[in-house]
Amino acid sequence: MKAEIITIGDEILIGQIVDTNSAWMADRLESSGVKVVQVTTISDNEVSILNALEGAKSRADIVLMTGGLGPTNDDITKLALCKYFQSNLEISNTVLQDVEAVFSRFNSVVSDINKQQAEVPSNCTVIRNPNGTAPGMWFDEDNTIYVSMPGVPHEMKVMIDKSIIPMLKEKYTLPVIIHKTILTHGIGESRLAEMMEDWEASLADTQIKLAYLPAPGMVRLRLSGSDAEQIENKLQQLLPIIKEHVFGFGKETLESVVIDLLRKNKKTVSTAESCTGGYTSHLITSVAGSSEVYVGSVVAYKNDVKERILNVDPEIINQHGAVSKEVAELMALGIKNKMDSDYSISTTGIAGPSGGTEEKPVGTVWIAIAFEDTVISKTFKFGDNRERNIRRSALAALDMLRRELLSV
Amino acid sequence: MKAEIITIGDEILIGQIVDTNSAWMADRLESSGVKVVQVTTISDNEVSILNALEGAKSRADIVLMTGGLGPTNDDITKLALCKYFQSNLEISNTVLQDVEAVFSRFNSVVSDINKQQAEVPSNCTVIRNPNGTAPGMWFDEDNTIYVSMPGVPHEMKVMIDKSIIPMLKEKYTLPVIIHKTILTHGIGESRLAEMMEDWEASLADTQIKLAYLPAPGMVRLRLSGSDAEQIENKLQQLLPIIKEHVFGFGKETLESVVIDLLRKNKKTVSTAESCTGGYTSHLITSVAGSSEVYVGSVVAYKNDVKERILNVDPEIINQHGAVSKEVAELMALGIKNKMDSDYSISTTGIAGPSGGTEEKPVGTVWIAIAFEDTVISKTFKFGDNRERNIRRSALAALDMLRRELLSV
């Protein structure tokens, strides 16, 4: 079963927002055995919408559209759908009641602009929207399923999970496609490919497809196929070859893996951050349940804070500079002591764009991990992009902690 | 001049990564007067690539492709391009030298797998890649410009800015499209639309297009047109109507606006974060130059840290709970004192998914701002999504600080 996703909105075409909906929908469709063959993003105008629908129909059995259903006047998707299906708008009482319920929850009266949300093409099945006022619309026409949803992510997501995937499963018998994703940190794509060369050649005798998916600070490897046993066998052959670099699988993240290990070892962690500016702490606390193992952090941007709160000796800062092995280690020891945690992470570096010197260019980072009576540290040379330096530093710090937690 | 962006990669179609390249490219094209009419994401296979090229040619004068040029075997874009243009791969000495230079920088030898990067279709103009080994390729065929670039964001971005936009400007006389974006915080899309109803109706007499772009915690309003004076006039009519909710324009963010205000007022800030877990600090420090006005933060996840480091009286926590007006205010005062900053922000709340009670459900957040001898605080009820609660809390805190900074 093939699907195409159509995203409607000038805001994406002029680069004002990133389309995150499509990746989310694609993931849900794939896991349900529907293959996404194309994602098409078009402008909020009738001609583009009609052409995209026509094109999608030639490639796919299922066409999922998002966007263009808001209460404001720049949204014309519903009118285009009427034209495409030669139907007319009519009031849906179900939707009208839902809209009224949303407004009464906020003790507010439904405006005329919001009442229009209840108008839908007469040939559609309404998909209710528990999180908003714009309904989803399901069309079963000419051997193709078309679904139109609002572009607001948390509205769309509930519709997909609660209504659309179940409706698709009822209509079609969907096959099973299996993906296994292996997550690696600290090694580049081509170096990894060289390590895996012989193993990769052996895939030629199978139906398994391999993809390399690089992202800042990590490369993911994805095996896809329909034979679970075959994939598992190949995976078990691959793991010993690249074991050193693998930190997890599937939807795991470095932060979720670290939190799981801390929980398993019944240990806690704190962080002292300079160049990462709270990002390491944010990654850790973005994981639900992190409060079990995470105590707290100090972001010590000014040297003064390193001295007063983390008890870093000002003499050491003068002598070695704030970005140094010595300061990183003292920060880690200081925060571990202050927070009374089992482990601690510290980062100090030059994120950029300014602040670099010849000896310590932008991208120079020291990271330390303290635990029991030990402190270990490591230096990294990242690049000249502030955002990526922050992210790569935090990931490198989490990976250092992970390795320590594994060696216990 | 119309452009289409083609993104090649199964990783996007199976939902494993979000396509951020397209938005970035679209923004650059738009600012150069090129209108992006479609973004198409397709699979890494020959048929899809050839069909997408054919389709794009029918809609656009310029076709920009990313992805499918890595050194590993899942990348087949170059072969598809040869087929499309009926040309052959041949070694480019320029590219070969660039690849060798990259490897010698890392004191490493060029592998055969990397030498293949130097093979390009014979009819292309090579676009050099200072950040990687895969070259860009420019084709001028049949009144259409086709450009193929690697999908690695920082490689693609340099090519666009340094080579492709200048080359397009040399080839075409590009018109000017003006976008003015107004950034609002703390008001929903439909409420805003109601406030602006009469003003919006008055746009009918102009060529100006209005779009509402909602995102977590903010709604952006975009005016587009070709007449700068007309846009400016309408903007000046609009601003008094929605002034209360406007925090900035264009590419500004709440964090960049706050930092600019602090810099202008020569004031510093620190943060004490519970539910936001370092995210407020991360937003502030993600702005280059924030070190001028940002001192540091304490992330106080455990109550113990609120007590020991922020000097919050344990009795007050017992009496009112950690998520309370009293604790938020004491946290703000405590961090301001500890960090010796002019202003401070504190957040305490229940991000979820667990931890909610009937009285204080998930999404309940208290935020306080301290300055001089004053502390102000406010409570918010956000939703049940952890990620969005963290983001909305941090933005609400920054907006409270912004309003204080403006009232000085």
Side-chain angles (χ1 to χ4, degrees):
Chain A
M1 207 56 55
K2 292 177 182 173
E4 178 158 337
I5 295 170
I6 299 175
T7 307
I8 301 167
D10 287 348
E11 61 273 26
I12 296 170
L13 293 178
I14 75 155
Q16 210 137 14
I17 64 164
V18 169
D19 170 26
T20 54
N21 282 349
S22 298
W24 190 92
M25 283 191 280
D27 176 66
R28 283 303 200 271
L29 289 167
E30 273 288 321
S31 340
S32 307
V34 176
K35 188 173 168 54
V36 177
V37 292
Q38 184 162 322
V39 178
T40 307
T41 306
I42 52 166
S43 179
D44 215 333
N45 72 62
E46 192 179 276
V47 174
S48 298
I49 295 172
L50 295 177
N51 285 342
L53 285 169
E54 205 53 48
K57 183 176 162 40
S58 73
R59 286 179 292 263
D61 314 291
I62 301 160
V63 182
L64 296 187
M65 312 164 66
T66 60
L69 296 178
T72 50
N73 296 335
D74 57 327
D75 297 323
I76 52 129
T77 306
K78 278 200 288 203
L79 294 173
L81 285 166
C82 282
K83 188 145 186 180
Y84 186 71
F85 294 117
Q86 298 178 308
S87 66
N88 293 299
L89 285 180
E90 53 184 39
I91 288 273
S92 154
N93 285 320
T94 314
V95 180
L96 190 58
Q97 281 162 24
D98 285 347
V99 170
E100 283 166 353
V102 165
F103 277 77
S104 80
R105 229 190 293 155
F106 295 105
N107 297 315
S108 177
V109 176
V110 183
S111 64
D112 285 342
I113 231 173
N114 285 101
K115 270 189 189 150
Q116 283 171 23
Q117 303 270 36
E119 291 180 350
V120 297
S122 52
N123 63 325
C124 85
T125 304
V126 160
I127 293 173
R128 294 170 74 177
N129 180 354
N131 288 331
T133 51
M137 294 167 278
W138 167 287
F139 303 87
D140 187 344
E141 296 280 344
D142 203 9
N143 292 320
T144 307
I145 297 294
Y146 303 82
V147 185
S148 168
M149 289 164 286
V152 182
H154 69 286
E155 299 183 12
M156 173 278 289
K157 288 177 182 177
V158 171
M159 289 188 190
I160 291 274
D161 282 343
K162 301 269 185 235
S163 306
I164 294 156
I165 298 284
M167 285 165 85
L168 289 175
K169 284 186 171 159
E170 199 171 295
K171 180 156 177 87
Y172 302 111
T173 309
L174 300 174
V176 177
I177 299 170
I178 299 154
H179 299 289
K180 279 276 178 188
T181 307
I182 305 145
L183 311 170
T184 72
H185 174 83
I187 182 170
E189 180 182 1
S190 52
R191 194 56 57 97
L192 208 48
E194 278 166 38
M195 290 177 74
M196 293 165 47
E197 201 170 359
D198 293 345
W199 175 86
E200 191 171 343
S202 79
L203 292 182
D205 306 331
T206 71
Q207 301 294 315
I208 299 172
K209 221 180 143 188
L210 168 71
Y212 291 80
L213 314 172
M218 68 174 73
V219 176
R220 286 171 301 173
L221 301 168
R222 194 193 59 229
L223 306 179
S224 311
S226 54
D227 182 340
E229 202 184 317
Q230 195 179 52
I231 289 182
E232 189 57 31
N233 283 342
K234 281 291 162 194
L235 179 65
Q236 293 309 326
Q237 286 170 22
L238 172 62
L239 285 179
I241 304 171
I242 57 170
K243 199 175 68 189
E244 172 63 12
H245 306 286
V246 175
F247 70 83
F249 298 92
K251 295 277 170 199
E252 290 184 316
T253 59
L254 251 173
E255 50 271 27
S256 74
V257 168
V258 163
I259 284 171
D260 285 346
L261 283 170
L262 286 165
R263 198 181 279 143
K264 210 157 60 181
N265 297 2
K266 298 200 189 336
K267 299 291 181 191
T268 59
V269 70
S270 61
T271 82
E273 308 189 43
S274 184
C275 63
T276 46
Y279 187 64
T280 315
S281 172
H282 167 59
L283 288 180
I284 292 172
T285 57
S286 65
V287 180
S290 51
S291 59
E292 270 180 57
V293 298
Y294 172 71
V295 183
S297 294
V298 168
V299 181
Y301 231 50
K302 296 243 191 265
N303 284 343
D304 180 47
V305 179
K306 296 183 182 79
E307 294 163 17
R308 285 191 302 112
I309 305 187
L310 299 174
N311 297 324
V312 178
D313 184 348
E315 265 309 298
I316 301 278
I317 299 184
N318 275 339
Q319 203 179 324
H320 301 278
V323 178
S324 62
K325 178 185 178 71
E326 290 76 9
V327 170
E329 294 188 351
L330 288 176
M331 286 173 67
L333 291 167
I335 193 74
K336 178 170 155 298
N337 185 35
K338 198 88 182 182
M339 293 285 174
D340 197 17
S341 59
D342 300 309
Y343 286 81
S344 69
I345 291 173
S346 76
T347 62
T348 178
I350 301 145
S354 63
T357 63
E358 203 170 318
E359 196 200 347
K360 293 175 185 171
V362 167
T364 306
V365 177
W366 274 96
I367 296 173
I369 307 283
F371 51 98
E372 290 167 13
D373 298 325
T374 310
V375 56
I376 58 164
S377 57
K378 212 171 151 182
T379 186
F380 298 84
K381 304 262 179 217
F382 298 125
D384 54 7
N385 176 296
R386 182 180 182 84
E387 190 188 334
R388 272 184 297 130
N389 286 340
I390 293 173
R391 178 155 172 85
R392 292 179 69 179
S393 301
L395 292 180
L398 290 171
D399 195 52
M400 275 174 71
L401 175 58
R402 182 186 69 84
R403 287 168 193 269
E404 284 312 315
L405 288 166
L406 282 176
S407 71
V408 174
Chain B
M1 207 56 54
K2 292 177 181 174
E4 178 158 337
I5 295 169
I6 300 176
T7 307
I8 301 168
D10 288 348
E11 61 273 26
I12 296 170
L13 293 177
I14 75 156
Q16 210 137 16
I17 64 165
V18 169
D19 171 25
T20 54
N21 282 349
S22 299
W24 191 91
M25 284 190 280
D27 176 66
R28 283 304 199 270
L29 289 167
E30 273 288 322
S31 341
S32 306
V34 176
K35 189 174 167 54
V36 177
V37 292
Q38 184 162 323
V39 177
T40 308
T41 306
I42 52 166
S43 180
D44 215 332
N45 72 63
E46 193 178 275
V47 174
S48 298
I49 295 173
L50 295 177
N51 285 341
L53 284 168
E54 204 53 47
K57 184 177 161 40
S58 74
R59 287 179 291 263
D61 313 290
I62 301 161
V63 182
L64 296 187
M65 311 164 68
T66 60
L69 296 179
T72 50
N73 295 335
D74 56 326
D75 296 325
I76 53 129
T77 306
K78 279 202 285 203
L79 295 172
L81 285 166
C82 282
K83 187 147 186 177
Y84 185 70
F85 294 118
Q86 297 178 308
S87 65
N88 293 301
L89 286 180
E90 54 184 39
I91 287 273
S92 155
N93 284 320
T94 315
V95 180
L96 190 57
Q97 281 162 23
D98 284 347
V99 170
E100 284 166 352
V102 166
F103 277 77
S104 79
R105 228 190 293 156
F106 294 107
N107 298 314
S108 177
V109 175
V110 182
S111 64
D112 285 344
I113 228 171
N114 283 103
K115 272 191 189 146
Q116 284 172 24
Q117 304 269 34
E119 291 180 351
V120 298
S122 53
N123 64 324
C124 86
T125 304
V126 160
I127 293 173
R128 295 170 72 177
N129 180 353
N131 287 332
T133 51
M137 293 167 280
W138 168 287
F139 304 87
D140 187 344
E141 298 279 345
D142 203 10
N143 292 322
T144 307
I145 297 294
Y146 302 83
V147 185
S148 168
M149 289 164 284
V152 182
H154 69 285
E155 299 183 12
M156 172 280 286
K157 289 177 183 177
V158 172
M159 291 188 189
I160 293 273
D161 281 343
K162 301 271 185 234
S163 306
I164 294 156
I165 298 285
M167 286 165 84
L168 289 175
K169 283 186 172 160
E170 201 171 294
K171 180 158 176 87
Y172 301 111
T173 309
L174 300 173
V176 177
I177 300 169
I178 298 153
H179 299 290
K180 279 276 180 188
T181 307
I182 305 143
L183 311 169
T184 71
H185 174 86
I187 181 169
E189 180 182 359
S190 52
R191 193 58 57 98
L192 208 49
E194 278 166 38
M195 289 177 76
M196 293 165 47
E197 201 171 357
D198 292 343
W199 176 87
E200 191 172 343
S202 79
L203 292 182
D205 306 330
T206 71
Q207 301 293 316
I208 298 171
K209 223 181 140 185
L210 169 71
Y212 291 80
L213 314 171
M218 68 175 71
V219 176
R220 286 171 302 174
L221 300 168
R222 192 191 61 228
L223 304 180
S224 311
S226 55
D227 182 340
E229 201 183 316
Q230 194 180 53
I231 289 182
E232 188 57 32
N233 283 343
K234 280 292 162 193
L235 179 66
Q236 293 309 327
Q237 287 171 21
L238 172 62
L239 284 179
I241 304 170
I242 58 171
K243 199 175 70 189
E244 172 64 15
H245 306 286
V246 175
F247 70 83
F249 297 91
K251 295 277 169 198
E252 290 184 316
T253 59
L254 249 175
E255 49 272 27
S256 74
V257 168
V258 163
I259 283 172
D260 285 346
L261 284 170
L262 286 165
R263 198 182 279 144
K264 209 156 61 182
N265 296 2
K266 299 199 192 327
K267 299 292 181 192
T268 59
V269 70
S270 61
T271 81
E273 308 188 43
S274 185
C275 63
T276 47
Y279 187 65
T280 314
S281 173
H282 168 59
L283 287 180
I284 292 172
T285 57
S286 65
V287 180
S290 51
S291 58
E292 270 180 57
V293 298
Y294 172 70
V295 184
S297 293
V298 167
V299 182
Y301 231 50
K302 296 243 192 267
N303 283 344
D304 178 46
V305 179
K306 297 184 182 77
E307 294 163 18
R308 284 190 302 113
I309 305 188
L310 299 173
N311 298 322
V312 177
D313 183 348
E315 264 309 297
I316 301 279
I317 299 184
N318 274 339
Q319 202 179 328
H320 300 279
V323 179
S324 61
K325 177 185 179 71
E326 290 77 9
V327 170
E329 294 189 351
L330 288 176
M331 285 173 67
L333 291 167
I335 193 75
K336 177 170 157 296
N337 186 36
K338 198 89 183 181
M339 293 284 173
D340 197 18
S341 59
D342 300 309
Y343 286 82
S344 69
I345 293 173
S346 76
T347 62
T348 179
I350 302 145
S354 63
T357 62
E358 201 169 322
E359 195 200 348
K360 294 175 186 172
V362 166
T364 306
V365 177
W366 274 96
I367 296 173
I369 307 283
F371 51 99
E372 292 164 13
D373 299 324
T374 310
V375 56
I376 58 163
S377 57
K378 211 170 150 183
T379 187
F380 296 86
K381 304 261 178 219
F382 298 125
D384 53 8
N385 177 296
R386 181 179 182 85
E387 191 189 334
R388 271 184 298 128
N389 286 340
I390 292 172
R391 178 156 173 84
R392 292 180 69 179
S393 301
L395 291 180
L398 290 171
D399 195 53
M400 275 174 70
L401 175 58
R402 182 185 69 84
R403 287 168 192 270
E404 284 313 315
L405 287 166
L406 282 176
S407 72
V408 176

